[in-house]
Amino acid sequence: HPDIDFSGVWGRRPEAAATLAATHGTAAHTDVEELFAASDAVAFAVPPDVQAPLAARAAAAGCHLLLDKPVATTPEAAHGVARAVERAQVASVVFFTLRFATLSSAWVSEQAATGGWFTGRADWYGSFYTPDGSAVFPSPWRESRGGLWDVGPHALSMLLPVLGDVSDVTAAAHGPGDTVHLVLRHTGGASSTAALSLTAPAKCAGLAVELRGEHGVAVLPPWEGADEAFATALDELVVAVRTGTPHPCDVRFGARVTEILARAEDRLSAV
């Protein structure tokens, strides 16, 4: 990235950190505090419940944050990061992929400006962990927490900016595999649904976002470019740092997403 210097790597497995650092010609730090001291900003690629305490420490060290979603899987941990960011007055961006991909982010902005939506749906059917037990990539936290926590943040990141905050959520896990269905009530009066799974058969995997309202039906067009989206997230973190203006997908928004998903999880456990 033209505006970013790679200041170093730290990992829970020192040998993996050393390999990554050598590949990119940067330093491998044996202590995470050394990485924070050498950096203006830190990007995270760790499970959410590892990310949250590390991110709070990074913010306290004065580092701006590029966080993965979800920020954490408990509201307490997510709010801990948000408080650390506020105390340190650092910038934060949470990487909700479609909010940074050019086509999908423009679609969200257009629908939010249009308004008048009656209902919406966001369906995310991943096939990372298919019913036959095969895994596209090894990620223990995703496999254990399922679609609610992995693709649920993506669904909420598309629905909330258009339909408003969530005042109530109902959840049911009556589908196959890890499939979860959410019914959301939004503060503006609209409702929405979300179908979330990491265990769909490969041939039916995919995502769909649809809105219906007084102006008709709006459907998210096909999109590509996760690599482009990550570069855009870096761009927008730099802008937030330079201007002091909070990003719409900052840690506060990330914490709100965690709150909603945690409430859905509570509803599931009560069934």
Side-chain angles (χ1 to χ4, degrees), residues 37 56 62 212 216 225 231:
R212 291 176 179 266

Side-chain angles (χ1 to χ4, degrees), residues 110-120 161-164 188-191 211-218:
E110 180 183 353
Q111 308 321 317
T114 298
W117 298 110
F118 177 72
T119 190
V162 179
L163 301 179
S191 65
L211 302 166
R212 291 176 179 266
E214 60 189 47
H215 301 292
V217 180

Side-chain angles (χ1 to χ4, degrees), residues 45 118 138 141 172 179 247:
F118 177 72
W141 84 262
T179 304
H247 192 276

Side-chain angles (χ1 to χ4, degrees), residues 6 9 14-28:
F6 198 175
V9 180
E15 67 281 3
T19 298
L20 183 62
T23 300
H24 295 281
T26 190

Side-chain angles (χ1 to χ4, degrees), residues 24 59 64 127 143 177 210 250:
H24 295 281
H64 307 287
S127 60
E143 189 170 12
E210 178 186 278
D250 67 0

